[in-house]
Amino acid sequence: MNNYFDSPDLDGTQSLTVEAVEQALDKGDGTAADLLMLYLACLVADPNEQEEFGGVADRVADKLFEMAEEGDEDATLAITALNALMEEEGSDDAKTVGVAMFRAVATRPILLSVADGRMDFEAATAALEVIDTLAGGFMDGDGDFDDFEDLDIDELANVLGVSDLGLDWDDDFDDR
C-alpha cells in the first residue's frame, strides 16, 4: 500500500475515502498486492458509506482483472483468491486454497522488501501478523465481510503499533 499512500499520520485519525481510492487507482502504479489490500479496505470501509465504496471496490477488482489478463501472475492469484473466499457456499477446500493464494500475494512484497533490505524484521512481522489476522478471518467466515466484526480491533491496532490512538472503533465509524 506504500505505492498508494504515504505513511499514516499517527497523531490524528485518517479515514479511507472514495476520493483517496480513486486517486490511488488513477496513479496506476499499484501492484497486485496493493490492489488486493485496497479492495479489502473498501469492503470493510465505513458501513455508512458502503454503497459508495462498493462502486470503487468494483473498480479496484476491474484493475486486478486487467492486470491478470495482461499476464500478471500475482493478479491472477488475487482474483482467484477473492473468487474462492467470497463464495458464500464455498467449500473448506476452496477457502484453504483461497487463503493460501491471498497470503502468497499479500506477503510476497513484504518478504522481498526484507530480502533486499528495505524493511526490517520488526516491520515485516507486524505486516505479516495483519495478513495472518485477515487470513484467519477468511477461514473462520462464510465469505461475508461481516465476519470481520469479530476481529479484535484493539489487538490488530496493537500489532500495527497504533494502539495508543484511543480510537473508538465500535461506536464512531469516522475513526476507521
Side-chain angles (χ1 to χ4, degrees):
M1 293 288 295
N2 287 342
N3 285 339
Y4 287 139
F5 305 106
D6 295 328
S7 297
D9 173 13
L10 298 180
D11 293 329
T13 58
Q14 295 181 351
S15 296
L16 181 67
T17 64
V18 171
E19 293 78 24
V21 176
E22 294 282 355
Q23 289 174 356
L25 290 172
D26 291 342
K27 265 179 94 172
D29 62 352
T31 66
D34 294 329
L35 291 170
L36 178 61
M37 298 307 282
L38 187 59
Y39 181 80
L40 295 176
C42 289
L43 291 184
V44 297
D46 185 343
N48 296 324
E49 297 178 10
Q50 190 64 38
E51 189 173 310
E52 292 177 44
F53 276 105
V56 77
D58 290 343
R59 280 199 56 219
V60 174
D62 290 344
K63 179 63 178 164
L64 265 174
F65 188 75
E66 287 172 24
M67 290 172 64
E69 284 184 326
E70 293 170 1
D72 186 307
E73 291 176 347
D74 284 343
T76 301
L77 289 174
I79 289 292
T80 306
L82 289 173
N83 285 334
L85 296 171
M86 300 298 184
E87 182 64 39
E88 286 186 37
E89 302 295 322
S91 69
D92 288 342
D93 292 338
K95 283 183 186 180
T96 299
V97 173
V99 165
M101 289 178 173
F102 164 76
R103 280 187 169 139
V105 172
T107 60
R108 179 180 167 86
I110 297 164
L111 300 175
L112 289 173
S113 292
V114 170
D116 70 11
R118 290 180 291 138
M119 182 181 277
D120 63 26
F121 290 116
E122 184 178 354
T125 298
L128 292 170
E129 287 176 351
V130 169
I131 291 167
D132 283 345
T133 300
L134 291 171
F138 285 128
M139 285 306 296
D140 296 338
D142 61 2
D144 183 353
F145 272 83
D146 290 340
D147 297 321
F148 286 96
E149 289 177 2
D150 294 334
L151 285 178
D152 185 341
I153 296 298
D154 292 329
E155 176 62 25
L156 186 58
N158 189 35
V159 165
L160 291 170
V162 294
S163 59
D164 61 337
L165 290 178
L167 300 178
D168 182 7
W169 292 92
D170 297 320
D171 297 325
D172 185 2
F173 292 110
D174 292 335
D175 288 339
R176 284 190 178 182

